[in-house]
Amino acid sequence: MIKIEKLHKSYPIGKDSLHVLKGLDLHIKEGEFVSIMGSSGSGKSTLLNIVGLLDNHDEGNYYLNGQKIEKLDEKKAAILRNKFLGFVFQSFNLITYKTAIENVALPLYYQGMGRKERQKVAMQYLEKVGLKDRADHLPSELSGGEKQRVAVARALATNPKVVLADEPTGALDSATSASVMQLLKDINREGMTVFVITHEEDIAEQTDRIVRLKDGVIISDEKVNKKVNA
Amino acid sequence: MFDLDRWREIFQSLNKNKLRTALSGFTIAFAILLFTLLFGVGNGLKHTFEEQFAGDSQNSIYVNSGLTTKPYKGLQSGRRIQFRNDDSKFINQEFSDKIQFFSPNIQRNMQVIYKGEQNRYTVRAVYPDYQPLESAEIIDGRFLTYLDVERKSKVVAIGKLVEKDLFGNFSALGKNLNIEGISYKVVGVFKDPGGDNDERYIYTPFSTFQGMYKPNDELDYIGMTFSPDLNVDQAIAFSNLLTKMLKEKHNVDPRDQGAIRVRNYAEGTKNVQQFMIVLNVIILFIGIGTLIAGVIGISNIMVYIVKERTKELGIRKALGATPRSIVGMIMMESIFVTAIAGYSGLMIGVFALKAIGDTLEEKYFILNPSVETYVVVGATIVLIIAGTIAGYIPAKRAASIKPIVALNDE
């Protein structure tokens, strides 16, 4: 699903440049539940941005769903994002003046889906995350956990190939963190590839595979022993 | 082109951000309101100015005679030049193709009595052609006719104010006026855009007065209008030639300024026209300046709005919005707000001008302040174009920001 070969990325800082990713190789198959672990500055967010087509890489190859990503203009990137990727951000990134259901329906709008159908699909996903009764609330009227659930519903709405979650529990307390993680686990069990970035060990341990990143290099890549009744 | 969903997005965004919408709308509406008011008031000044010069026909020429100031061909200075009927004939023969209306004139200040009321008025003995020369407009009865001239009828056409002075609220038509002992019948009442003075004249047939108050063939002065086919320069050339020929005919030194005086309104018209051009340029300058200020205002606001929405635009991009749809959305918002707000400003301005009307005429010389339809339409179009540009530049920039940069914007 996601295949990365010798990926390099550096950011210019004044005259110098900061080499953030130093030749990463990573292969994520369909249906996997992967977490990228690393402290801040390890390059994990940069990796997610590149995987999420929010930023472009300098060197190396990146294949998304078998398609080689290179020389993407903004329009193509937007279409690919809309088609293949769903995002969950640490700070939720809901549009503040839109209700929950409108936020969930927004990627469908950009897909060109009709209004009625959009509402229907959005409602289905809100129901899936357990927020059907909150559909007409604005983000400011929702709790942090609820906001993140709306974000998950929004990420799922277009039925993407991969859900990318950047510190999805970073702004949540442990109880709501657990419920959001449970939600991600559930959608993974239904076959969705889920890609989580975190610096919290206990979050990473709830995934099936942990890739540890340090100073722009992968230092370990191991399967987690499945607890029987996770 | 018409995409209901897109309009829904725009209305929602405008509606949920009322302060922002109100501020940008207010800027535009205010700029256009100012533009309309300034333009209208400028036009009001222009109207007053035009009216000041509208008293007489703009193509009038008056020929007067006086004393010679220079000896010429053995004749002494101080000789009186007297126009006669043959001068009328001469001018009409020589310049028939250049003259539109023509009338010799005998003028006296006379005592006029009707029953108990009496007053002194200027009585002018003229041909029927004199009416268009004075721009007089009959409101009751008729003006003099050639039949009156032929018959030397004792009839008069009187100004509106003469009627008011002598007859009060009653109609003067058909009544007889006593003018220095002789009875004249009132056949018409006129008004004159020249104002009070011009509405206190009394007109009577030329032939009636000639012989009675002037020896047989003498006359006081000649009034005429030049043909409207002549432009200002041609008209001035015509009156110069006329002067030259009359001086020759009466043996007057060509440099003598006193004996024969020709006053051509075209010369004034030329100055007035130039003044009007300057006034127009000033009005245009003010108008364009105000518009530009408004355009700059809306551009600033649009830049700010886009900046404020950077994060939202980043989210939209992450969710699959193409740069084109971002640009389209912002531009449509911008055009929509400018068009609606601009139009409201315009309408408020137009109605304000209507309400002001002629109330400022006396103190501030502003008559009927108004804006022409084409100015209104033009300003609206300029606004919409301005809204488009004002929206396009920041929208283009916003659309080209990488989503990751936009998302990190706080």
Side-chain angles (χ1 to χ4, degrees), chain A residues 49 54-56 74-75 78 81-82 87 89 93-95 97-98 102 106-107 109-110 115 118 154, chain B residues 5-6 8-9 12-13 16 309 311-312 315-323 325 402-404 407:
Chain A
N49 291 335
L54 296 173
D55 206 347
N56 38 24
E74 278 290 344
K75 191 184 167 187
R81 278 199 294 270
N82 187 270
F87 291 90
F89 299 97
N93 281 339
L94 298 176
I95 291 179
Y97 61 81
K98 285 185 178 291
E102 284 166 344
L106 194 58
Y109 165 66
Y110 285 117
R115 182 176 160 83
R118 255 176 12 227
R154 183 177 65 182
Chain B
D5 271 337
R6 175 168 269 192
R8 272 211 187 88
E9 276 291 304
Q12 186 179 41
S13 152
K16 296 287 170 69
R309 292 178 74 177
K311 192 180 174 104
E312 180 202 326
I315 297 170
R316 286 176 182 273
K317 287 179 95 170
L319 298 181
T322 58
S325 74
K402 278 190 184 155
I404 188 64
L407 280 173

Side-chain angles (χ1 to χ4, degrees), chain B residues 258-271:
Chain B
I260 291 175
R261 300 186 302 273
V262 176
R263 191 154 60 94
N264 189 344
Y265 278 44
E267 285 169 39
T269 307
K270 202 171 179 178
N271 292 336

Side-chain angles (χ1 to χ4, degrees), chain B residues 49-66:
Chain B
F49 199 75
E50 273 165 356
E51 216 210 31
Q52 293 292 313
F53 289 86
D56 293 316
S57 239
Q58 294 299 296
N59 55 344
S60 304
I61 297 175
Y62 290 95
V63 185
N64 287 282
S65 63

Side-chain angles (χ1 to χ4, degrees), chain B residues 58-79:
Chain B
Q58 294 299 296
N59 55 344
S60 304
I61 297 175
Y62 290 95
V63 185
N64 287 282
S65 63
L67 301 177
T68 57
T69 55
K70 286 180 166 60
Y72 188 62
K73 286 186 178 170
L75 296 163
Q76 287 188 336
S77 65
R79 182 168 55 97

Side-chain angles (χ1 to χ4, degrees), chain A residues 119-214:
Chain A
Q119 296 290 100
K120 210 178 86 190
V121 173
M123 193 51 102
Q124 279 170 11
Y125 281 97
L126 272 183
E127 197 172 358
K128 194 183 175 93
V129 299
L131 287 175
K132 195 182 176 186
D133 54 332
R134 301 294 233 170
D136 294 321
H137 288 243
L138 288 173
S140 55
E141 297 161 344
L142 300 173
S143 72
E146 286 171 332
K147 280 187 219 175
Q148 199 59 302
R149 283 161 178 276
V150 172
V152 172
R154 183 177 65 182
L156 294 175
T158 53
N159 193 20
K161 294 281 181 191
V162 185
V163 168
L164 299 171
D166 185 9
E167 304 272 8
T169 59
L172 304 176
D173 62 41
S174 50
T176 39
S177 288
S179 73
V180 167
M181 281 314 289
Q182 189 57 50
L183 186 59
L184 290 177
K185 269 186 260 182
D186 290 345
I187 60 174
N188 171 249
R189 199 172 300 145
E190 287 166 24
M192 181 70 71
T193 314
V194 181
F195 191 79
V196 180
I197 286 206
T198 183
H199 66 280
E200 290 171 80
E201 195 70 41
D202 56 331
I203 296 295
E205 271 172 7
Q206 294 181 54
T207 65
D208 297 342
R209 178 180 163 196
I210 303 177
V211 177
R212 286 174 203 278
L213 210 59
K214 195 181 180 189

